[in-house]
């Protein structure tokens, strides 16, 4: 289970993740009276052939306010799939090697906006609390 804003409206949604990284999204939508209703979007993200739940990260790395789908390798490589609306709503734009191999452990990688520019930055958090950070300047989009 994960929570992230997948459509840019400022609310996080309930995301059910499969073992291979597929995601079913449950979008909370208020009606005119303010009552919340949940809209199910099965296969919002279908996953990738090399994916797994432990490699999956969700963060807005392109600054459009929608959580993007990220796969982090053991060597710190990140393949990004920019969220264009997800399955059934625009799909994803693939950016392989958005972060080239860092040589730092992928399992300790997280994405948080520490620069305040609206794009999640790449952080490695070690046991004991030390942090190595790379500011997001648009990734490797070559």
């Amino acid at each position: 289970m994960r929570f992230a804003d997948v459509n840019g409206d400022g609310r996080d949604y309930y995301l059910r993740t499969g073992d291979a990284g597929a995601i079913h999204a449950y979008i909370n939508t208020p009606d005119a009276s303010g009552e919340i209703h949940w809209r199910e979007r099965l296969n919002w993200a279908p996953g990738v052939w090399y994916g797994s739940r432990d490699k999956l990260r969700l963060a807005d790395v392109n600054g459009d306010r929608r959580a993007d789908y990220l796969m982090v390798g053991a060597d710190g490589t990140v393949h990004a799939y920019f969220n264009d609306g997800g399955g059934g709503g625009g799909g994803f734009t693939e950016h392989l090697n958005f972060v080239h191999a860092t040589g730092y452990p992928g399992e300790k990688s997280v994405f948080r906006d520490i620069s305040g520019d609206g794009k999640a930055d790449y952080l490695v958090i070690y046991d004991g609390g030390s942090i190595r950070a790379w500011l997001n300047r648009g990734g490797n989009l070559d």
Side-chain angles (χ1 to χ4, degrees):
M1 173 178 67
R2 310 280 172 100
F3 290 89
D5 181 359
V6 298
N7 65 4
D9 68 358
R11 293 190 302 266
D12 281 357
Y13 302 107
Y14 177 78
L15 307 173
R16 193 167 43 106
T17 61
D19 291 340
I23 298 174
H24 297 311
Y26 299 86
I27 311 295
N28 69 44
T29 307
D31 62 18
S33 69
E35 185 175 336
I36 299 291
H37 298 276
W38 294 91
R39 282 190 358 255
E40 181 178 65
R41 298 226 0 233
L42 297 178
N43 294 313
W44 175 78
V48 291
W49 66 268
Y50 58 87
S52 66
R53 185 182 301 140
D54 63 319
K55 294 178 183 179
L56 174 64
R57 309 291 187 276
L58 295 163
D60 179 10
V61 295
N62 65 349
D64 66 358
R65 298 181 40 197
R66 295 182 296 208
D68 300 306
Y69 183 96
L70 311 169
M71 278 290 161
V72 181
D75 63 358
T77 300
V78 179
H79 298 311
Y81 298 83
F82 290 176
N83 174 2
D84 298 323
F92 297 88
T93 301
E94 178 182 75
H95 293 284
L96 299 179
N97 295 306
F98 183 73
V99 175
H100 292 301
T102 63
Y104 295 97
E107 71 271 6
K108 300 198 180 286
S109 299
V110 299
F111 293 83
R112 301 291 184 273
D113 182 9
I114 61 171
S115 65
D117 65 357
K119 295 181 293 195
D121 302 303
Y122 182 73
L123 310 173
V124 175
I125 303 175
Y126 294 96
D127 296 335
S130 63
I131 298 172
R132 182 173 299 272
W134 289 263
L135 297 180
N136 180 350
R137 301 287 188 229
N140 300 306
L141 297 179
D142 41 78

